[in-house]
Amino acid sequence: MTRFIHDKFAKDYLEELLKDYGEVKASEKVSGEIKEIDVLFTPNQQQKSNLQILGLLGRFAENPAIIEPFRNPASADEICDCILKLLEVKASLRREAKTNKTKLQDAEIPQLWVLTPTVSETRLSSFGTMQKQDWLSGVHFLPDALRTAIVAIHQLPQTPETLWLRLLGRGNVQSQAIMELQALPLNHPYQQATLELVYNLRENLRINQELETDDRELIMRLEPLYQKDREQAKQEGRQEGIQEGRQEGRQEGEQRLIIRLLNRRLGEINQSLIESIQRLSIEQLENLGEALLDFSNIADLETWLNQQQE
């Protein structure tokens, strides 16, 4: 089942976008029969002014939020389960407030956002949803007491404001959003990190034997973008290496560049790995510069370095 691959992508993706603006808890367990909230978000008040960069998603994150993304159209039962999670969170907050002898404020109760790639008018009608004038089309609110909205991703307007939500759609909606993501300026704070997550999704789907048609098409659409991005990174690496090489000697310049790229991709690497890299030849360093584009963790780097010693 590829749904779990897409679920992990959605959680990692939302955490990446929202972590600068507050506390993000993915797969948060709630009481009662064991259930998990996909993303529970508590905003950081000091960061609210910067949320506009995330468009409609940023608007969701202005207040405490539960975000439940679905790869397939959310069924009535699944939407009801999401509402039940919200009610359990609210009950937990009420108990906590009672213990602390404080009053639970409405602003402390999360708003539930159910993200579904498509939804029928019949299903929306069954929940008594309504459109609010100051919200974009595609955002359908349940009665106010339920603090819930169903977000029909396929109905969102194709604008920069909705890009970060349309990336969680499927078919042509998601493919168009990926093209828009790739076209963002290179200095956009979320472009490269999001592309890396999309490429990781591509790799996870490629090794799965039972792909849906949408997933096969997604892999095909991502392939030229991935190759282009990979080639661009290689070219930038070569140019940077040449410039540093002129100043410090080619081999030392290559070493510094590779270590910087690895730190950026995998996090700070330890001294023993740095020493192993410093023992590599120029040719091996160039090969590592290409290979690291496919690394997803430190273990990949260690495996590659061990192969060089064989």
Side-chain angles (χ1 to χ4, degrees):
M1 292 288 290
T2 61
R3 179 171 61 85
F4 299 106
I5 297 173
H6 288 283
D7 286 350
K8 185 178 187 309
F9 165 72
K11 292 176 186 178
D12 291 345
Y13 167 70
L14 290 169
E15 182 174 2
E16 180 66 33
L17 293 182
L18 296 174
K19 66 183 181 182
D20 292 335
Y21 304 102
E23 182 182 12
V24 184
K25 295 181 180 178
S27 301
E28 176 71 0
K29 290 181 173 59
V30 294
S31 59
E33 181 186 351
I34 295 177
K35 299 181 179 67
E36 282 191 352
I37 292 171
D38 283 342
V39 175
L40 176 62
F41 176 73
T42 305
N44 181 338
Q45 297 300 317
Q46 287 72 34
Q47 292 289 346
K48 274 193 173 183
S49 60
N50 299 323
L51 277 169
Q52 60 185 5
I53 195 170
L54 295 179
L56 184 57
L57 176 60
R59 194 171 178 186
F60 295 172
E62 289 176 355
N63 300 293
I66 292 173
I67 305 176
E68 294 281 341
F70 286 87
R71 174 60 178 172
N72 297 318
S75 68
D77 285 343
E78 287 172 329
I79 295 171
C80 287
D81 285 344
C82 292
I83 296 172
L84 181 57
K85 295 177 193 178
L86 170 63
L87 295 176
E88 289 176 344
V89 169
K90 182 180 178 180
S92 176
L93 291 172
R94 288 176 61 187
R95 289 192 295 270
E96 184 179 339
K98 185 176 180 179
T99 300
N100 297 331
K101 297 181 179 180
T102 59
K103 181 177 175 58
L104 178 63
Q105 303 297 321
D106 281 351
E108 301 175 70
I109 305 170
Q111 171 83 22
L112 169 63
W113 305 96
V114 180
L115 312 183
T116 178
T118 61
V119 67
S120 68
E121 289 299 324
T122 301
R123 181 144 300 152
L124 291 173
S125 177
S126 71
F127 283 97
T129 62
M130 64 197 82
Q131 293 261 202
K132 293 188 177 181
Q133 288 186 349
D134 56 342
W135 286 84
L136 294 175
S137 61
V139 183
H140 304 271
F141 287 88
L142 275 65
D144 290 346
L146 293 176
R147 304 183 70 85
T148 297
I150 300 171
V151 183
I153 295 176
H154 71 300
Q155 294 178 357
L156 295 175
Q158 189 176 306
T159 64
E161 186 178 3
T162 66
L163 169 61
W164 306 102
L165 289 169
R166 287 184 287 114
L167 276 163
L168 294 174
R170 42 183 317 163
N172 291 332
V173 172
Q174 186 180 43
S175 296
Q176 175 60 35
I178 290 171
M179 296 293 287
E180 293 173 34
L181 171 68
Q182 202 269 342
L184 288 175
L186 294 178
N187 62 352
H188 190 286
Y190 296 116
Q191 193 228 32
Q192 194 55 46
T194 304
L195 278 174
E196 291 294 340
L197 288 170
V198 170
Y199 294 149
N200 286 342
L201 170 63
R202 161 190 170 273
E203 285 301 307
N204 289 333
L205 289 173
R206 283 183 64 185
I207 63 177
N208 194 286
Q209 300 299 313
E210 299 179 3
L211 291 179
E212 299 177 9
T213 301
D214 274 2
D215 291 327
R216 286 195 293 270
E217 292 176 352
L218 177 60
I219 291 173
M220 291 175 61
R221 289 189 177 102
L222 281 174
E223 191 64 30
L225 291 180
Y226 174 76
Q227 295 300 336
K228 179 181 177 181
D229 194 64
R230 195 169 186 271
E231 187 59 34
Q232 182 177 348
K234 286 162 56 178
Q235 292 296 334
E236 290 174 356
R238 290 193 188 105
Q239 290 300 319
E240 201 170 338
I242 290 171
Q243 290 174 358
E244 290 201 15
R246 288 171 180 166
Q247 295 172 2
E248 305 175 22
R250 186 180 174 196
Q251 185 152 0
E252 186 177 349
E254 287 275 359
Q255 291 170 359
R256 286 168 59 87
L257 170 65
I258 294 298
I259 292 169
R260 186 162 65 251
L261 291 174
L262 286 167
N263 284 334
R264 188 187 308 165
R265 186 169 183 82
L266 305 178
E268 200 73 24
I269 61 174
N270 62 44
Q271 186 59 37
S272 64
L273 290 174
I274 291 175
E275 291 172 359
S276 296
I277 292 168
Q278 290 172 337
R279 290 193 290 269
L280 297 175
S281 66
I282 286 287
E283 182 180 1
Q284 287 174 316
L285 287 168
E286 290 176 346
N287 291 338
L288 177 55
E290 295 186 14
L292 68 83
L293 296 170
D294 293 321
F295 292 171
S296 58
N297 51 52
I298 293 292
D300 292 336
L301 171 60
E302 292 172 339
T303 299
W304 190 93
L305 289 171
N306 289 335
Q307 290 173 346
Q308 305 312 301
Q309 299 172 2
E310 295 175 355

